[in-house]
Amino acid sequence: MPFTRRVFIALGMGVAFGAGLQIVYGLDSPVISQSISWFDIVGRGYVSLLRMIVVPLVMVSVISSIIRLKDVGSLGRISGWVLGLLMITVSIAAIISILTSLGFGLSAEAITSGTREVARGEALLSRAVQIQSLTIPSMLVSLIPSNPFLDMTGARSTSIIGVVIFSAFIGVSALGLNRKKPEIFATIENSVNAIHALVMRMVTLVLRLTPFGILALMTKVVAGSNFADIMELFRFVAASYFALIAVFVVHLLMVAFAGGSPLTYLKKVLPVLTFAFTSRSSAGTMPLTIQTMTKRLGVSEAVANFSASFGTTIGQNGCAGIYPAMLAVMIAPTVGVDPTSLSFIGTLVITIAISSFGVAGVGGGATFAALIVLSALGLPVELAGLLISIEPLIDMGRTAVNVSGAIATGFVGARAMGEVNMDTFNENDSFELDMEAVS
């Protein structure tokens, strides 16, 4: 059975099973909480396996890609296109979110604060004290890996960027050896190619577990969701998804502008977006993102790896663009700030674009981004906890849009540099054949 079909069958089974559990036992039943802990063995276990291979995949792929480039100038062009497009798309996402919030009339004053919201607000307030000590220059400096081995453990929110930079230095150093000591470079190149083949084999083995991971993750989400809270804050959920869908449409328009068929693109990226939706982890989705870009969209490995890596912590359209902008517009009136003024909107968009550097590609990244933006604008950060009851539901859509932004950026940038194989893009079932090759 094709991989895409297995993914969507697993998604449907997870929704049905989760809904059945909640209907039979009720949300507050210990059966639900105990069952979820067992589902997590498969769901969170699968996400953990993906995160396990992220660092070796990024390192060996970036090094391999640079060695194949044989030109340091190409590395600069790729980085420039990817970072530039990520900044543009996150700014567009912020503008869409602002217009959506104003159009839906969202306001923090319309939300009732319960015990959970108050506790969440207090926790965010204490965390904001630490964030306020950060400056934009210090945030940019933090991207540089002073201890690359620490970044390999994922200890920082910018660890992936640190790994990419360290790997780029290794690749550029290898190119230098190619000019001065070609015999040593040949040994390095052969070793990197062998390790790359081994890592990609491991990636494919893990990705074959995707339908099982989606089944468990979706069951957990549906079984543990409080639908009463969702209906009470339905307007905020609707506004969030309206903005998310609008940003996704922008991604499709970007693909069309670059000469690709939006329908073909949509068909090929749906499996990876489905996993991003259920897992709520941009970083955990990265192996599947890279495979989709290279095997299904025809994007070169160099562009795919840089786009997927940068996209997990820079310019996240959902977490760093839509969410902070929506919260800022909702909270601004509580302190007498007019959210419709051009000065406020301009300052907000610029702040979001700059602060999007270094947002963690895991659950909680959107909250971190919101705290940075609200603190920079002098808005009360404790009000960011008002939407805690619907946070998981919105975060699913945000993560999918984050990944979509990284893929669209990679495709458009690669097209501009002539790094897309359009025959692969227009082929059918290339990814299914690659997945089935393991067996």
Side-chain angles (χ1 to χ4, degrees), residues 76-422:
R77 283 198 310 134
I78 292 172
S79 300
W81 271 104
V82 170
L83 290 175
L85 288 172
L86 285 173
M87 290 297 96
I88 292 172
T89 54
V90 76
S91 299
I92 293 173
I95 294 171
I96 289 175
S97 181
I98 293 169
L99 296 177
T100 301
S101 303
L102 295 174
F104 276 77
L106 301 184
S107 172
E109 298 172 337
I111 304 176
T112 304
S113 298
T115 304
R116 291 178 63 199
E117 287 75 13
V118 172
R120 175 69 165 171
E122 292 175 350
L124 292 177
L125 189 59
S126 61
R127 188 177 180 186
V129 174
Q130 302 173 347
I131 292 177
Q132 286 171 351
S133 61
L134 295 176
T135 61
I136 292 176
S138 65
M139 288 175 59
L140 295 177
V141 171
S142 69
L143 299 177
I144 301 174
S146 58
N147 185 347
F149 298 101
L150 178 66
D151 284 333
M152 290 179 195
T153 68
R156 303 188 301 151
S157 62
T158 58
S159 286
I160 293 297
I161 299 300
V163 171
V164 171
I165 293 174
F166 180 63
S167 303
F169 267 90
I170 295 176
V172 171
S173 300
L175 289 181
L177 287 174
N178 185 32
R179 295 191 299 270
K180 297 183 178 181
K181 298 181 179 180
E183 68 282 356
I184 296 179
F185 174 80
T187 302
I188 294 174
E189 185 175 28
N190 291 333
S191 299
V192 170
N193 289 337
I195 297 173
H196 183 263
L198 176 63
V199 171
M200 293 309 297
R201 170 73 176 184
M202 182 168 59
V203 168
T204 307
L205 288 173
V206 174
L207 292 185
R208 283 182 60 82
L209 301 173
T210 299
F212 303 100
I214 286 180
L215 170 60
L217 288 167
M218 205 65 210
T219 301
K220 173 186 175 181
V221 169
V222 177
S225 295
N226 190 326
F227 293 99
D229 287 344
I230 293 174
M231 294 309 298
E232 184 178 343
L233 297 171
F234 180 75
R235 186 167 56 152
F236 298 95
V237 176
S240 297
Y241 273 90
F242 181 88
L244 291 167
I245 292 172
V247 172
F248 182 65
V249 170
V250 170
H251 296 162
L252 294 179
L253 292 175
M254 290 171 56
V255 171
F257 182 77
S261 166
L263 290 178
T264 301
Y265 172 86
L266 180 62
K267 175 185 175 182
K268 295 194 171 189
V269 301
L270 268 181
V272 64
L273 297 185
T274 300
F275 177 74
F277 183 84
T278 53
S279 68
R280 297 169 54 195
S281 173
S282 300
T285 310
M286 194 189 304
L288 194 56
T289 302
I290 295 173
Q291 280 279 64
T292 298
M293 293 176 70
T294 55
K295 302 297 183 183
R296 306 201 76 189
L297 301 182
V299 177
S300 68
E301 287 195 9
V303 178
N305 281 283
F306 273 89
S307 178
S309 302
F310 285 150
T312 61
T313 52
I314 295 177
Q316 292 187 354
N317 291 187
C319 290
I322 291 176
Y323 189 62
M326 187 167 289
L327 281 180
V329 171
M330 290 170 55
I331 294 173
T334 64
V335 292
V337 176
D338 181 10
T340 63
S341 68
L342 293 179
S343 60
F344 173 80
I345 293 175
T347 303
L348 177 58
V349 172
I350 293 173
T351 303
I352 286 174
I354 296 175
S355 63
S356 69
F357 281 76
V359 175
V362 295
T367 301
F368 180 75
L371 290 179
I372 294 176
V373 172
L374 296 178
S375 298
L377 297 177
L379 299 176
V381 297
E382 62 273 15
L383 295 181
L386 292 175
L387 300 178
I388 185 174
S389 58
I390 56 174
E391 177 75 12
L393 177 62
I394 298 177
D395 195 41
M396 294 166 72
R398 289 195 305 245
T399 306
V401 169
N402 290 343
V403 174
S404 173
I407 296 175
T409 293
F411 178 79
V412 174
R415 281 286 286 168
M417 293 179 285
E419 296 284 339
V420 177
N421 185 334
M422 290 305 293

